[in-house]
Structures are given as structure tokens and as C-alpha cells.
Amino acid sequence: MIEGVTVRQAGAGDAVRGVLPRWVALPETVEEIAAVLRACAERDLAVVPAGGGTKLHWGPPPERCDVLLDLCCMNEILEHAAGDLVVRAQAGVTMDALAGTLADKGQELALDVPFSEGTTVGGTLATALPGPRSFRYGTARDLLIGITVVLPDGTIARSGGKVVKNVAGYDLGKLFTGSYGTLGVIAEATFRLHPLPADRRWVVAGLDRAEAAPAAAALAASQTEPSAIEVDWPDPAGPLTLAVLVEGTTAEARAAALRELTGGAVTRERPSWWGLIEGDEVLAEARFLPADAGAVLDEVAATGLALRGSLAAGRVLLTPCRDLAEDELAAAVARLRERARVHVLAAPYDGLDRWGQVSGLPLMRRVKERFDPGRRMSPGRFVGGI
Amino acid sequence: MDTLVAALRSFLPGDSVITDPVRLRTYECDGLTYHRATPGVVVLPGTAEQVARVVRLCNEHGVPFVARGSGTGLSGGALPREDGVLIVTSKMRAILEIDLPNRRAVVEPGVTNLAITEAVRDRGYYYAPDPSSQQVCSIGGNVAENSGGAHCLKYGFTVNHVEACEIVTPDGDLVTLDRMDPGYDLLGAFIGSEGTLGIATRITVRLCRAPEAVTTVLAAFESIEQGGQAVSAIIGAGIVPAAIEMMDALAIEAAEAAVACSYPEGAGAVLIVELDGPAEEVARQFARLQEICANAFELRVAADPAERAAIWKGRKSAFAAVGRISPAYIVQDGVVPRTSLPAVLAAIDRLSAQHGIRVANVFHAGDGNLHPLVLFDDEEPGAGERAEVVSGAILDLCIEHGGSITGEHGVGVDKSRYMPKMFSADDLDTMQLVRCAFDPRGLANPGKVFPTPRLCGEVPGVRKGVHPLVESGKAEQF
């Protein structure tokens, strides 16, 4: 159908939130992505890009979806310049494969991913969900230094480059990071890397609800440079677990110092829940100022939601810890919005206000209109129905 | 312009609208004095609402506007327009809020970079990005340029330290862009857009906890090659120092002449390495650093803040110091992958010899950001032109090695002509989509960053009719 590009008929398993595409395209190069998008533009076909598909059921259903652009075959690590602490990879490379290659040279991309398997570079960027170590290293947008994207009309565009320090031109990487496939297709990405830490320790402590926010604040204010400060609260009727990660040659000594603040134990073992999303049929993210963490916990206690994330960074993920009807979820979200920005990442309900107030929305609509005037890229899947 | 000035005077105090030709000339250039233009009118608004009103008036009159902070930029980003309004933020210099529990501060755009750190230092916090001009440069200018500094190797740039900005859009609307909001990262796109996407009127910055320990080391090497090898070895050892700076013999000579920084005599290169973090970690890294720098002929360690300041003095004064050894000079700003540094420095040497133009090298070695100072005598016929050639050829070298034409000074007017060498027409057209979304009328700092941009009405690459692949029978309609 398009020369050189593998295209197959879609099957039931290819549906995006119940919307069945007609075809699945499997491009292997940036040029092939461009050819597919050009062909779709000619025919006014709507496209949803997909990486490993681990988060494809997040967000509202697309208004329409004719072609699922499966980037699984874009799976090459193009360049690992170890001496420059930089890697360039195609969008379909899995984060696991990337980590393996980088580890061979004693390096890592300091982005935590919430699923153990299948998550790709492109999907990680498109959803831009912060993980535990964003507390120290920043989020995807902070570690991305160059990007190649394909616009809905097939134009291939690059910005940034392969040097960390670079202020030439607009940073399209920032714009595409967290854009949920609504502006175009992320084809390749270049990241800054970090040396693998020589050693790691976690300090793990059980706390009551009232103790958690002050403990997180004390840890954040310490000079021991923790890499992450996370809590896990599987049941709001019970206690929380607080875990702090310390990385570096002197991790053991620094972890011991942090234990003075929290109690608990120092361990080499990553906590089993660390940075993971275990159920995401319903999933919400709350962002708040760290000083409001105590108030957020108080609100969550009344909702029937389990909480996991960072009180120190002011971002947590929420999932139901019991069956929660649509109206109960809506009420819980509305209540939490008094204290935090809450957006519902995933829910099988269509009536829900997923995003809440977004102050820059009119500008976002204008950006969408310029990049995707035909509304053919993942239409309706992002803020304000963009 | 006259009706516009009258409208400006209707809501701005008398001393906040400048039309006197002599006073206007005060604003004719920023830190890049090579480009000059007398602004049509200068306004000094005191509030965000006033900025918005000025911008709305510019829209009504179809007049371009340029924002300016302290005017320390080195790429002509704040070069005024003779047919436009220069909006100077120097009256907006209040620190509105210090919020240590949330590790943030809210400031107006005219606040200087260093003033933020000074406001929180005694409580153990600081604002990390530290451009060399930090005593005078404004935070609004830092946001426009995405300023870096010596310590961005470990801590990143302005964009990594700004949580939110209230901006006046090119239409004159007040909008808040906040990292906490879901949606497109417009804040990330705005920072570093050099005033072409609007004007920041209120900035929320992140404050960092002061490190427990700081160790600053000055290592003197016989040659620049040895210095370069040490840099690679430090990175190879898995150490991420807060800063790694290098100066060559000519730059050292200039610094000595200007500030008598007493760097070790006879050095072909000095390296300044600053380690910071938890005390145990810094001590361990310092031990490793000593091994790596075993071939340095002198290794000086700052024992206290005064000695640290002494080490930094030579480096921070390097640009100005060059005036002591050369009547005129061009400050260049380019980036190469760190591993290309030796090859690029050798090539710069060859360029220097070939054109009879001296080049002093000062650079952020850790991230490959070069600041070659191209020296010439402006009295000597043709010398300025030769210096321009060398300076431009250095940028070509950066592009050839996969680097960038600017690491922190910005594109401004100075480098817009190099953008097509680094980016394709499609890349630039795509960036232009962002510009058109924010500023469809092209009134915000026009003529900067992009060479002859397409008008927002023009759509690049519109194709009509049958797709070529279909026409040639290589694809079918589906």
C-alpha cells in the first residue's frame, strides 16, 4: 500500500480504548514514518502512534483512529557516545534494552519507568510520567537533549542535538515530551546519561500518616543528596512505607545518616513496590506543593484511593484500593482538586473531567492547530480534547 | 509612532516613557555592542498589567516590541527596533515570595540572578544557574536565553530550575505556564525562546539546598592536551563535578594582567574542578581526582571560601581581561561533544596560525562549551574581517563535530545566519509553527533567532492533487 512499509489489517487486539483502527503500519525508518503520515494526510486518515502499548489505554478514546502506527520495528540504538555521556535511539527501543546497552559501559539513563516490560523510549517521552529519581535527575524533558519528530504532513524535523548544552532554536523536544501523540510522531531521541552509581542503598521505614509529610520534608532539606524519596500507602486505613534512595560511593554512610531522620532500616534491596504501577485501569496523578503534602494525605485518607509517589517532589499516583464507582471517583477527584492539581491518566469512564483547570489551554490549542490542522494525530486524547 | 507614544503616556508615569533621542541611545545595544539600533520608544513598566497593556497597544498599532532586562546578553537578543517599542523590565525588581518549605521563590523579571541567592543564602539555599554576569543580569533575561553558567554541568540550565512563569503573550494576554499543569510543556518551549514568544513578568524559580561540602581545585598542566586528557579521565571515572573549566596560556596571561589571579606560572592550561555534595562523597571524589591529575605540575586546593573565590576570579574575569592584551576581541560561544575537544582545539590552533589571529581559549570543558576569544587590533586594516572569518570558522567546526552554534549566549541577531547550517529548512519551518501559534503577527522580537522566517499565513510544502506514490503506482488508495 505504501512502498516498502509493512502494513497489515488491524485485528481486535489493536483497538485503542475500543476504537478499532483499519490498518496497523509498521515503519522501520524515519523516512517510512514520513511516508505513512504523508499517505494518511492525503486521505484524511487519523493516526495513533504506539510504542510498547503499555499505556495505550490511558486517556480518552481517540475521536477516530484509522491507522495504528506501531513503532516496534524502530528498535535500533543508533549511537552510544559513552565518552560524551550521550545516547541516540529510535523511538521503539525498549527502555530495558537501552538500559542493558548503557550498563555495559557503566552508564544509565536516569529515567525510571513504571512497567517492568515493553515500555519504549517513544512511549516514555510521549507520556512523560515522572518516576522516583526525578527528584534528583529531573523528568524526561530534563534529560532529553535532541529529538527527531515527524509531523502529521510527513515533514521530518529535528531540534536540539547531541550536546547537553545547546540553546540554538526552539526546543521541540520539550513540546513533544508529554504530548500524548497529539502533535506528531516521536521517531528518535537523544538523551544525556549519567554514570551508573557505584552503590545504592534504600532506607525503608513504616510511618503513620501524620508522620509522613514532616519526614519527607526533613529528608528533602538534608544535605545527603538523596536521589528519591517515595511513599507507598496501599490502604488509607493503614500505615505508610517511606523509602529513600541514596546513590554513590558512600551510599552506606549517607543512608545511615538519613536513617537518623526516619528510623527504619538500611537495605540494598529495592522495595518491591518502588516506582511501579501495578494496576492502571483507573489511575490518577496528583501534583502539589510539598508543603501541602500533609493536607493531600488527609484528603486521600477519605477517598478509598491508594497512593504511591513522592511527597517531597509533590507528585503521587492514585489508584482505587477497593471498587470505586464512576461517581465515587469523580467525587474523590473533585475533593482532591481543592488541594492539588489532579489529572486522571486512565479510567474507563467517559463522563469524567480528566484534566481539571489548565491555564495555558488556549495557547495549547493554538499549538495543536499549527502542528495538526487536520486533527488527525490521536484526536481527542489529550487536555481539553486536543 | 506618535499616537502610540501618546497612548503609552496615558497610563505610564512620565519617567517610564522615554522618547528623548539622547536617552534612547542608552538602550541602542545589549552586551553585543557590535550591533546597534536606536529604539523608537523605550518604556519601563512597573507591573505585569502595564507590560500587557503596552503589548496590546503594539498589536493595535502593528508595531514590533523587544523586551530587555539588564542588557547583558551577548548575541544581540535585546537589540531594539528603530520602528518599535523597547520594553525594559528594570523597574520590576521585587522578590515577591521566598518559600523555603517548597524550595521556591517568586520574583519579578528585573531581579538579578545573584539577588535570589543572596536572599536565601544564610538559610542554606541558593539558585543554581550562575552565568558569569550573575551580579547584574536579570532573571527575565535568563529565562529568555535559557542561561547556563559554570555549574550547569551538574545542575542544568535555567529551564531545569524554573517551575512557572506568568507571561504576557504576544497578543497581550497574561497567561501562567506552570510545570504542575497537565498539557503541552509550553513553559519548556518558552524558556530560551529569546523573547520571541512573549515576555515573562513573574517567575517561580526552584531553590537548591546548599551542598554540605565544596572542594575547588586548580590544576596546572604543561599543555592543553594534558588538561583535556584529565577532563576525559574525570568523566570516565564516573565523577560528575559541579564544574570543570579550562583556560589556555593566552587566557591565563590575560587574566593575570587584569586581576593578578596568581595562577601557577608557566601553565599551558589550567583546569578548575569544583566538587560538591555530601562531605563523604566529595572527599572520595577528591581522592580520585588527585590520582587523575597526577601529571599536573601544581594542584592547588581552596581551603576556604576566600581561596575558592581567588581561584574563580581569574576564570570569571577572563572575558573582560582579554581587553588588557588585545585592543578588540570577539567572544564566541560554541559547543562540541566533549570527546571532540582535542580535535577541535587543534583545528582552532590551525585557523589561528593560518589567519594570523590570536585565539584565547576559555571553556566549560565538562560540557564541551567553548568560549574562544578571537583577538584583533581594530586599528589594523582587515584585522576585524579576518577575526570574523576565524570566529565563523569556529562555529563551522562545532557544527561539523555534531555540536551547536550556541551553548548559552543565544542566537539573537548575531547567529541567525548560522541557523540554516545547523538545521534544515524543515526543522526551521517546524520551529516556526511554534512561533506562529504564540505570535501570528510576528511582533515579538522580530528578526531574532530565525533567518527570514516564513510568514505565519504561508504553509510550507502544501501539496495538491494525487500523492506522487499513488500517481506512480507505487502505493494504492486505502
Side-chain angles (χ1 to χ4, degrees), chain A residues 316-382:
Chain A
V316 294
L317 291 173
L318 302 159
T319 51
C321 59
R322 58 177 168 82
D323 278 343
L324 218 54
E326 181 174 359
D327 58 337
E328 283 181 289
L329 178 65
V333 168
R335 180 171 185 164
L336 278 170
R337 282 194 177 138
E338 307 274 316
R339 297 288 184 185
R341 316 282 174 94
V342 181
H343 72 277
V344 180
L345 295 166
Y349 312 124
D350 293 330
L352 213 58
D353 173 9
R354 288 171 185 268
W355 315 104
Q357 287 291 318
V358 183
S359 61
L361 191 57
L363 272 177
M364 291 175 197
R365 288 192 199 287
R366 282 158 65 165
V367 170
K368 168 74 174 179
E369 170 64 22
R370 289 284 171 182
F371 277 79
D372 183 22
R375 287 189 62 73
R376 294 185 300 95
M377 291 305 305
S378 304
R381 299 213 76 200
F382 199 30

Side-chain angles (χ1 to χ4, degrees), chain A residues 166 170 182 221 250 291 341 359, chain B residues 102 176 181 184 196 209 281 404:
Chain A
N166 182 2
Y170 294 157
T182 59
T250 59
R341 316 282 174 94
S359 61
Chain B
N102 290 314
T176 298
D181 270 341
Y184 299 138
T196 62
R209 185 76 170 97
E281 200 72 28
S404 172

Side-chain angles (χ1 to χ4, degrees), chain B residues 151-236:
Chain B
H151 293 80
C152 59
L153 175 62
K154 180 171 174 182
Y155 292 101
F157 320 97
T158 302
V159 72
N160 310 112
H161 294 270
V162 171
E163 298 289 340
C165 281
E166 175 195 72
I167 68 165
V168 172
T169 68
D171 295 337
D173 293 332
L174 273 170
V175 176
T176 298
L177 307 176
D178 191 328
R179 280 191 84 165
M180 284 217 278
D181 270 341
Y184 299 138
D185 183 8
L186 299 186
L187 181 65
F190 179 83
I191 295 169
S193 62
E194 305 194 24
T196 62
L197 301 182
I199 303 173
T201 48
R202 176 193 285 247
I203 298 143
T204 305
V205 299
R206 191 148 67 89
L207 300 172
C208 290
R209 185 76 170 97
E212 187 178 21
V214 180
T215 297
T216 308
V217 179
L218 181 81
F221 294 91
E222 275 162 14
S223 70
I224 198 138
E225 289 75 21
Q226 287 181 352
Q229 284 159 7
V231 174
S232 295
I234 292 165
I235 301 296

Side-chain angles (χ1 to χ4, degrees), chain A residues 203 255-263:
Chain A
V203 184
L258 283 174
R259 204 179 71 94
E260 301 294 312
L261 296 172
T262 61

Side-chain angles (χ1 to χ4, degrees), chain B residues 62-85:
Chain B
V63 166
F65 60 89
V66 178
R68 171 186 161 120
S70 304
T72 56
L74 292 169
S75 59
L79 180 75
R81 296 269 300 202
E82 289 177 359
D83 60 348
V85 178

Side-chain angles (χ1 to χ4, degrees), chain B residues 23-332:
Chain B
R23 291 186 65 201
L24 286 179
R25 291 204 47 195
T26 318
Y27 296 97
E28 68 184 1
C29 64
D30 59 12
L32 184 73
T33 54
Y34 181 75
H35 297 274
R36 289 171 194 269
T38 306
V41 55
V42 172
V43 294
L44 296 97
T47 65
E49 287 69 26
Q50 288 178 352
V51 175
R53 225 165 140 181
V54 171
V55 170
R56 283 199 295 273
L57 275 175
C58 288
N59 271 267
E60 282 166 28
H61 290 78
V63 166
F65 60 89
V66 178
R68 171 186 161 120
S70 304
T72 56
L74 292 169
S75 59
L79 180 75
R81 296 269 300 202
E82 289 177 359
D83 60 348
V85 178
L86 186 71
I87 301 171
V88 181
T89 58
S90 56
K91 283 196 174 173
M92 300 173 69
R93 53 191 344 158
I95 295 179
L96 301 169
E97 191 185 347
I98 301 277
D99 180 5
L100 291 185
N102 290 314
R103 301 185 298 281
R104 45 169 64 195
V106 184
V107 302
E108 290 188 324
V111 169
T112 63
N113 173 295
L114 193 60
I116 301 176
T117 291
E118 282 174 346
V120 295
R121 192 184 350 237
D122 59 353
R123 285 171 276 180
Y125 286 82
Y126 73 111
Y127 176 63
D130 62 337
S132 294
S133 55
Q134 71 180 140
Q135 292 194 10
V136 285
C137 65
S138 72
I139 207 74
N142 289 179
V143 166
E145 300 296 317
N146 189 18
S147 302
H151 293 80
C152 59
L153 175 62
K154 180 171 174 182
Y155 292 101
F157 320 97
T158 302
V159 72
N160 310 112
H161 294 270
V162 171
E163 298 289 340
C165 281
E166 175 195 72
I167 68 165
V168 172
T169 68
D171 295 337
D173 293 332
L174 273 170
V175 176
T176 298
L177 307 176
D178 191 328
R179 280 191 84 165
M180 284 217 278
D181 270 341
Y184 299 138
D185 183 8
L186 299 186
L187 181 65
F190 179 83
I191 295 169
S193 62
E194 305 194 24
T196 62
L197 301 182
I199 303 173
T201 48
R202 176 193 285 247
I203 298 143
T204 305
V205 299
R206 191 148 67 89
L207 300 172
C208 290
R209 185 76 170 97
E212 187 178 21
V214 180
T215 297
T216 308
V217 179
L218 181 81
F221 294 91
E222 275 162 14
S223 70
I224 198 138
E225 289 75 21
Q226 287 181 352
Q229 284 159 7
V231 174
S232 295
I234 292 165
I235 301 296
I239 299 172
V240 182
I244 310 180
E245 304 284 305
M246 189 140 85
M247 291 166 71
D248 71 2
L250 194 52
I252 298 166
E253 181 193 326
E256 286 295 348
V259 297
C261 50
S262 309
Y263 284 178
E265 238 171 85
V270 294
L271 212 57
I272 299 170
V273 183
E274 193 154 281
L275 303 166
D276 74 6
E280 302 97 330
E281 200 72 28
V282 170
R284 193 75 70 93
Q285 289 179 350
F286 175 60
R288 188 80 185 86
L289 181 69
Q290 282 179 303
E291 292 166 21
I292 290 168
C293 293
N295 63 343
F297 69 79
E298 187 174 336
L299 201 66
R300 211 179 270 178
V301 185
D304 56 41
E307 287 189 26
R308 174 172 316 123
I311 288 179
W312 277 107
K313 193 173 173 189
R315 167 63 187 88
K316 292 214 168 180
S317 64
F319 291 3
V322 163
R324 297 296 187 102
I325 60 162
S326 177
Y329 62 95
I330 300 169
V331 181
Q332 192 46 281

